Amino acid sequence: MDLLDYVLFMPGIWLASMLGISFRLIGPAFVVVPTGFCLIYAILRRVKPPRVLGLYFALCLVVAGLSNYQIFPTSWQVHFLQDAIMRQLAPLSGFFAVTWASKAYFRRRLFYGDVFSGAPLIVTLSLFVAPAVMIQQGVGYEGDYSPFAVIALAGGFINNMLIAFFFIAGAIFFTRDWRRYAALAFVLLTAATSHFAQFRLMTVITLAALVGLPGRRVAVGAVAILISLYAIGMNFIPEAMVTDPNDGLRLQLVFDTLVSAADTHGIGIGYGMESVRWRYQFPNMADFTFLPDPATMTHSRMLEALSTGVENSFASALLRTGVVGCLLLVVAILAAFPPRNLPRDVRNHAAVIFAMIFITCFVNPALESPLQAIGVGFGYGYLLALRARSRVCTPEITWFGKPVWSRTGPLGSHRGPAILASGLDAK
């Protein structure tokens, strides 16, 4: 790595890795580190921004500008704050900046071969320093403020875990020694102790690819199953609220965005208004108050409430930027799908990272929250860089300075790359 990496790109990644949920402590500094630094880094590297994602981000900027004049139609939304426009747009700006910078960073790492450079420091910050900071800050989960609750949050795919999982999956697919077994043990232990089904799903995807199933097909299958579950589940929201209120509310939030999209004829509501209802009514249940009474809220609390995102970034895109914006975001994410002409373990690792990004965006407000936008952008930028590199030659990848994949033939060749680090014969 060179000076630009250490001064402009890595500080934002280190900061997101070491703070975890406490990343919100940086407040408005988010527009400087990582957003501003990453934009400068990408420009100085002279790398073109992601094309489709750039179109989506440009559309969001136009919609945000027009939202100042309140010209967009509304559905069930009732409150508007002009200050909320920039607040709602800030996490997406960070995601775009980190993605662009990450693409530039990994294009160089793929060229030099050392994709996992700096892994020990980042994994240490993510898995040890971040939990310590969160415990010191008194972070809890569902009323539990014990250290165990913080450990269980490892499966929540916030920035530190999203970034760490990139390297952990690398150890699983690219090493054949104690590092693979340590990574597998961590993944299995986290899946067993975490509250989050999304991490268990990622564990299944990772293990399926590891034992020989095609990673790309496994990722596609997981995406299809997840979408199908939501499509079916939205027909049984009251029943879901009884069995699991968390799942039921997620389905209701997505359903409300579909209602809003229909009411606005697919145009979207723009920025500055709420994306969730203040109160929900379900059959045979007491009213569910999701947000406090607006009349009792201060301006800053109101601003925070209006910035509460739908638990699905694709649904949020549909809500605010309409059908066009949602389609652009979907195409942008699909543009990062790993190509088939990569070596097997490179392809499987990339497929797992793609699945992680999609799942995180599908079940969380990933692109609407600084707590996840950085980690998603980090992995997404890598996938874009990998696709670009695959058009030139098969990438050579090293782990902790040891080559694990070497260039053995032209793209499209059926020859497998040699596994040099493990001493095994080429597969």
Side-chain angles (χ1 to χ4, degrees):
M1 297 198 295
D2 63 10
L3 186 62
L4 289 181
D5 295 328
Y6 284 116
V7 173
L8 293 177
F9 179 67
M10 295 310 299
I13 304 303
W14 291 332
L15 193 63
S17 298
M18 70 182 293
L19 293 182
I21 286 183
S22 301
F23 190 66
R24 59 170 61 96
L25 293 175
I26 70 173
F30 179 81
V31 301
V32 180
V33 182
T35 305
F37 278 22
C38 283
L39 284 176
I40 297 173
Y41 175 85
I43 293 171
L44 292 179
R45 288 297 187 202
R46 299 181 181 179
V47 172
K48 294 180 180 179
R51 295 177 182 176
V52 185
L53 181 62
L55 288 175
Y56 172 65
F57 184 60
L59 174 64
C60 291
L61 292 178
V62 172
V63 171
L66 295 176
S67 297
N68 285 283
Y69 305 100
Q70 301 186 52
I71 63 174
F72 286 93
T74 60
S75 176
W76 42 261
Q77 298 80 16
V78 294
H79 295 282
F80 173 83
L81 276 182
Q82 195 171 42
D83 295 348
I85 296 175
M86 293 308 300
R87 172 130 184 190
Q88 293 168 357
L89 194 62
L92 180 63
S93 302
F95 167 69
F96 176 76
V98 172
T99 294
W100 188 4
S102 183
K103 175 186 174 183
Y105 171 79
F106 280 113
R107 280 174 66 94
R108 297 184 71 249
R109 296 272 59 80
L110 287 166
F111 179 81
Y112 290 110
D114 197 358
V115 171
F116 301 104
S117 178
L121 174 59
I122 293 177
V123 172
T124 300
L125 292 175
S126 299
L127 302 188
F128 298 100
V129 177
V133 172
M134 288 188 282
I135 291 174
Q136 189 275 330
Q137 291 294 317
V139 172
Y141 178 75
E142 293 188 346
D144 185 359
Y145 292 90
S146 67
F148 178 79
V150 173
I151 296 174
L153 280 172
F157 281 140
I158 52 180
N159 285 327
N160 63 310
M161 195 59 205
L162 287 165
I163 296 171
F165 196 82
F166 172 83
F167 297 99
I168 292 170
I172 291 174
F173 287 103
F174 293 120
T175 64
R176 303 295 188 271
D177 54 19
W178 65 268
R179 291 167 293 189
R180 164 180 278 188
Y181 301 112
L184 283 172
F186 173 80
V187 169
L188 293 174
L189 181 62
T190 301
T193 59
S194 176
H195 305 284
F196 299 94
Q198 58 188 321
F199 193 89
R200 298 190 183 97
L201 177 58
M202 278 306 309
T203 301
V204 172
I205 294 171
T206 303
L207 294 178
L210 181 63
V211 299
L213 296 179
R216 283 161 39 98
R217 294 182 183 179
V218 172
V220 171
V223 168
I225 291 173
L226 197 58
I227 294 174
S228 299
L229 288 175
Y230 266 64
I232 297 172
M234 280 189 287
N235 295 301
F236 303 95
I237 293 177
E239 292 81 359
M241 286 297 300
V242 174
T243 57
D244 191 328
N246 181 57
D247 291 342
L249 185 58
R250 287 174 182 270
L251 292 171
Q252 182 64 52
L253 294 178
V254 175
F255 180 79
D256 283 346
T257 63
L258 299 179
V259 171
S260 183
D263 290 344
T264 60
H265 306 288
I267 297 174
I269 65 169
Y271 290 89
M273 304 196 75
E274 69 267 33
S275 58
V276 297
R277 296 180 189 267
W278 302 84
R279 179 173 298 178
Y280 291 89
Q281 295 178 334
F282 298 99
N284 303 319
M285 296 181 64
D287 288 357
F288 183 85
T289 303
F290 192 71
L291 295 173
D293 184 357
T296 65
M297 301 171 66
T298 63
H299 178 80
S300 60
R301 182 68 183 89
M302 185 69 171
L303 188 63
E304 182 179 349
L306 293 182
S307 300
T308 301
V310 179
E311 295 291 324
N312 187 309
S313 289
F314 300 104
S316 181
L318 176 65
L319 176 75
R320 299 204 177 279
T321 59
V323 174
V324 174
C326 182
L327 288 177
L328 281 175
L329 179 60
V330 170
V331 173
I333 297 298
L334 294 181
F337 192 69
R340 68 180 63 190
N341 57 358
L342 294 170
R344 188 188 66 179
D345 280 357
V346 178
R347 186 172 62 247
N348 285 343
H349 174 262
V352 167
I353 300 305
F354 175 85
M356 178 182 70
I357 290 171
F358 184 91
I359 292 171
T360 303
C361 291
F362 198 81
V363 302
N364 296 293
L367 307 186
E368 294 75 52
S369 171
L371 300 182
Q372 294 177 305
I374 307 308
V376 173
F378 182 79
Y380 179 66
Y382 164 75
L383 294 178
L384 295 180
L386 187 62
R387 285 190 66 93
R389 186 63 181 168
S390 69
R391 302 187 192 105
V392 180
C393 63
T394 303
E396 178 185 85
I397 295 180
T398 66
W399 176 265
F400 291 126
K402 296 180 179 180
V404 292
W405 289 109
S406 65
R407 302 180 183 89
T408 58
L411 285 180
S413 170
H414 293 290
R415 296 171 57 195
I419 306 175
L420 303 180
S422 62
L424 298 178
D425 294 334
K427 292 188 177 180

